[in-house]
Amino acid sequence: MGDWAGYLTLILMGAWVTVKLTLMGSALALVVAFVAGLGRLSRQGWVRGLATAYIEFFRGTSIFVQLFWIYFVLPMTGVALTPMQAGVMALGLNVGAYGAEVVRGAVLAVPRDQHEACIAVNLTRFQRMRHIILPQALPLMLPTFGNNAIELLKATSVVSLISLSDMTFQAQVVRSQTGNTLMPFVTILLLYFAMSSALSFGMRRLERRVTRGLDGVR
């Protein structure tokens, strides 16, 4: 039992790495999603082109390949990253590409008369986005952002391929040391479910808070 307690501690240490990857990857994905999503709506053709190229590239290629390029190929250009940095970058850029389309779709879903009213009162484009359009678009984004965050959490398992000690990596270590497959993988299965449930609960709370008093949004 003492050995199994030690193995469980090992997996829980990996779970903390998974939590950090999820939080930092989600933060990067959120920033990238807004930058690329609003870039798709830019009046400048080159900005739209760059945003579209980024989105299509990261949605159209495997996150496994992206992670390997970031961790193994970038150092050849002089950009050396730690496994944690490479994992966060791969997860953030990959999920951010999907989030960008969420941002673009939500902004376009805001009624046209809202845009026209902003122009009528002589608001700048930045003021329109900051004070009128994005506050109305945000409730439309949150449900899908929640799904994206859960997908990012589950995708953290890919970092075990570059020997980052997340809980999937630690479960593999426990399996190799004990010859027992059931215990470590049932443990991480339950941990992933608990983490995704916590994310879902937090996003529902945030959604209710943001949409409070807004008729027809919930």
Side-chain angles (χ1 to χ4, degrees), residues 43 45 47 49 59 65 68 82 87 97 105 107 111 113 117 147 168 184 193 196 199 202:
R43 294 174 179 174
V47 175
R59 289 197 309 172
V65 179
F68 273 53
T82 66
V107 170
D113 57 5
N147 289 335
T168 299
F193 179 73
S196 64
L199 275 174

Side-chain angles (χ1 to χ4, degrees), residues 28-41:
L28 176 60
L30 188 63
V31 172
V32 169
F34 274 94
V35 171
L38 295 178
R40 286 286 311 269
L41 301 172

Side-chain angles (χ1 to χ4, degrees), residues 78-157:
V79 181
L81 299 175
T82 66
M84 177 64 77
Q85 291 170 337
V88 169
M89 181 176 290
L91 291 165
L93 293 177
N94 182 272
V95 176
Y98 293 92
E101 288 297 275
V102 176
V103 171
R104 183 180 71 90
V107 170
L108 292 177
V110 175
R112 184 65 185 172
D113 57 5
Q114 296 292 308
H115 296 264
E116 295 171 350
C118 292
I119 296 172
V121 296
N122 203 30
L123 294 180
T124 66
R125 186 173 176 79
F126 175 79
Q127 290 172 328
R128 294 199 298 270
M129 281 293 175
R130 168 67 179 82
H131 298 290
I132 307 298
I133 306 304
L134 286 180
Q136 295 183 68
L138 183 59
L140 305 176
M141 302 177 196
L142 286 179
T144 309
F145 276 171
N147 289 335
N148 288 347
I150 292 173
E151 287 298 322
L152 189 148
L153 165 65
K154 293 185 291 185
T156 57
S157 60

